[in-house]
């Protein structure tokens, strides 16, 4: 039994949010939402839809941002995959029972993720940073 309900979105790390938005919007026809400031990690996020997919651009605004370090090491491109789960506590428990390390668990009631979120350590996911989110239950 899998823990993922659906892929929520794919994030791309970029150095210049405006230039990236211009490309995705004017070349590919993406439909953008408003920019979100993620102060805790010193980056801006701009969600968009392209076809039937939800994606986001993430760009640091401070050299001490973990995203700045990522860009220096890996350059621009794919950053993380966000997956929605039905119950974050159950998903984390299932992963930990399988020996998978879950890091950066947070409750995000005030940050657009009402049920919270967590990350699977990329060293255990073949180099892919995977974010798990739980949307508020109906």
């Amino acid at each position: 039994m899998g823990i993922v309900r659906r892929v929520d979105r794919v994030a791309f790390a970029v150095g210049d949010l405006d230039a990236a938005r211009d490309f995705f919007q004017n070349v590919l026809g993406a439909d953008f939402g408003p920019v979100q400031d993620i102060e805790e990690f010193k980056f801006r996020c701009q969600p968009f839809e392209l076809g039937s997919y939800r994606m986001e651009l993430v760009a640091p605004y401070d050299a001490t941002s973990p995203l700045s370090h990522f860009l220096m090491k890996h350059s621009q491109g794919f950053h993380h995959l966000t997956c929605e789960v039905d119950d974050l506590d159950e998903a984390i428990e299932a992963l930990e029972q399988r020996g998978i390390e879950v890091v950066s668990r947070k409750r995000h009631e005030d940050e657009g993720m009402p049920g919270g979120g967590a990350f699977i350590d990329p060293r255990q996911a073949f180099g892919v940073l995977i974010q798990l989110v739980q949307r508020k239950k109906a």
Side-chain angles (χ1 to χ4, degrees):
M1 179 175 104
I3 62 166
V4 173
R5 173 181 247 242
R6 69 181 182 92
V7 172
D8 187 66
R9 62 190 175 277
V10 175
F12 300 99
V14 299
D16 183 334
L17 189 61
D18 293 330
R21 181 180 50 242
D22 182 61
F23 172 81
F24 281 94
Q25 188 170 40
N26 296 322
V27 175
L28 299 179
D31 183 27
F32 279 88
V35 174
Q36 302 165 1
D37 189 354
I38 313 300
E39 289 183 37
E40 179 182 3
F41 298 109
K42 301 176 184 173
F43 72 86
R44 289 186 182 83
C45 169
Q46 184 152 37
F48 66 97
E49 290 188 13
L50 184 60
S52 61
Y53 293 95
R54 291 174 29 148
M55 300 179 200
E56 62 189 10
L57 300 174
V58 292
Y61 56 80
D62 187 289
T64 63
S65 167
L67 194 54
S68 290
H69 299 291
F70 174 87
L71 287 170
M72 285 188 296
K73 186 175 180 181
H74 301 285
S75 190
Q76 299 182 110
F78 175 75
H79 184 260
H80 70 272
L81 177 68
T82 300
C83 298
E84 183 179 345
V85 297
D86 289 323
D87 186 297
L88 188 61
D89 293 327
E90 288 179 11
I92 290 171
E93 184 178 328
L95 288 166
E96 289 176 342
Q97 287 176 356
R98 295 177 183 147
I100 304 298
E101 183 180 358
V102 177
V103 297
S104 299
R105 165 109 195 243
K106 297 218 176 210
R107 292 282 176 202
H108 293 288
E109 283 78 6
D110 299 323
E111 298 175 25
M113 288 184 272
F119 290 90
I120 295 175
D121 188 315
R123 292 174 292 183
Q124 295 188 310
F126 301 93
V128 177
L129 179 61
I130 299 174
Q131 180 182 29
L132 304 174
V133 295
Q134 175 187 327
R135 303 294 178 202
K136 192 175 220 171
K137 292 183 179 180

